[in-house]
Amino acid sequence: MQAIAETLFDAIYLITVITIGIRMIIKSNGNKQYRLFGIMAVVLGLGDFFHLVPRVLALCTTGLENFTAALGRGKFITSITMTIFYILLYYVWRIRYHVKGKNTITAAVYVLSALRIILCLFPQNQWLSDASPLSWGIYRNIPFALLGLLIILLFYKTAKEQKDKEFRWMWLTIVLSFGFYIPVVLWADVYPMIGMLMIPKTCAYVWTVFIGYQAMHGKRE
């Protein structure tokens, strides 16, 4: 039952975000904000593809324990693409709100992103092992969480100041995604059921993508 449910959910998710992303790129009509948002959605979907497909194959065949390397490799790729996702979202913020300068914020985004990626590259992560240390799961997610917090604050403050109704909940989608993700990092290995929080985490990212898609359609009407 779990295999069927996860397969359907993951298939719908991947098809949805990648399709929306491609449509936004094609139909952006030269609008940099929406083209970038479309690229962001495609990066999100393709990154998760490398993690979710091996998981689905494992659940539908011989089990997760026989796909350790493939799952670890996919998790590594997803860690990198999610970092890129937030860099792109930062530039969506800059373009949407016509932000100029703010070099300190830009530097913070790149420093935190670089730290995240560098930490992901350390062999101590043991991505291909079924005994990946919790400590390194925490280390590599500290700069990632700080990056997410920065993006949350930027969208919350600016959308509120400019009374941006279309993006007024963007900050909340990121809060929810991290709120569901952090417990998985900390406790999923001890309490496997906590891994189910990845479902609402994924739904939060779908909400993020839909906000951009609906905003683009609103501008065209």
Side-chain angles (χ1 to χ4, degrees), residues 78-79 81-86 112-113 115-116 119 139-150 178 181 205:
T78 301
S79 297
T81 56
M82 284 309 306
T83 308
I84 296 171
F85 173 89
Y86 279 106
L112 291 171
S113 299
L115 283 173
R116 158 75 164 180
L119 287 170
Y139 298 155
R140 66 177 179 262
N141 278 298
I142 290 174
F144 186 54
L146 292 174
L147 175 62
L149 178 61
L150 176 58
F178 275 95
Y181 175 64
Y205 279 119

Side-chain angles (χ1 to χ4, degrees), residues 106-174:
T106 302
V109 168
Y110 277 105
V111 167
L112 291 171
S113 299
L115 283 173
R116 158 75 164 180
I117 292 173
I118 289 169
L119 287 170
C120 286
L121 294 173
F122 273 72
Q124 287 88 340
N125 287 284
Q126 298 183 43
W127 292 106
L128 306 184
S129 168
D130 59 358
S132 301
L134 173 60
S135 58
W136 276 87
I138 294 173
Y139 298 155
R140 66 177 179 262
N141 278 298
I142 290 174
F144 186 54
L146 292 174
L147 175 62
L149 178 61
L150 176 58
I151 302 299
I152 288 166
L153 293 174
L154 292 176
F155 273 102
Y156 176 80
K157 182 175 183 291
T158 314
K160 187 176 182 179
E161 287 176 348
Q162 300 197 17
K163 296 180 172 57
D164 184 356
K165 291 183 178 180
E166 292 172 326
F167 272 49
R168 68 186 182 278
W169 299 121
M170 180 63 75
W171 68 274
L172 181 58
T173 70
I174 306 168

Side-chain angles (χ1 to χ4, degrees), residues 3-4 10 14 19 23 25 55 59 64-65 78 87 92 94 121-122 125 141 144 154 160 163 177 183 192-193 198 212:
I4 296 173
D10 292 343
L14 291 174
T19 300
R23 285 179 61 85
I25 293 169
R55 181 175 175 83
L59 290 172
L64 297 173
E65 64 277 4
T78 301
I87 295 173
V92 167
R94 289 186 66 92
L121 294 173
F122 273 72
N125 287 284
N141 278 298
F144 186 54
L154 292 176
K160 187 176 182 179
K163 296 180 172 57
S177 66
M193 284 300 295
M198 294 299 281

Side-chain angles (χ1 to χ4, degrees), residues 24-104:
M24 290 187 74
I25 293 169
I26 294 173
K27 296 181 178 295
S28 61
N29 295 324
N31 186 303
K32 292 182 180 179
Q33 176 193 167
Y34 298 123
R35 183 171 68 248
L36 189 60
F37 210 104
I39 294 171
M40 190 179 80
V42 172
V43 167
L44 173 68
L46 292 180
D48 281 345
F49 175 90
F50 287 98
H51 173 64
L52 294 177
V53 170
R55 181 175 175 83
V56 166
L57 289 173
L59 290 172
C60 293
T61 55
T62 57
L64 297 173
E65 64 277 4
N66 294 310
F67 283 76
T68 299
L71 289 167
R73 193 177 298 111
K75 190 176 178 180
F76 166 73
I77 294 171
T78 301
S79 297
I80 303 300
T81 56
M82 284 309 306
T83 308
I84 296 171
F85 173 89
Y86 279 106
I87 295 173
L88 295 175
L89 186 55
Y90 168 68
Y91 279 99
V92 167
W93 171 78
R94 289 186 66 92
I95 295 170
R96 183 171 184 85
Y97 299 114
H98 309 289
V99 176
K100 304 296 182 183
K102 305 289 186 182
N103 294 333
T104 301

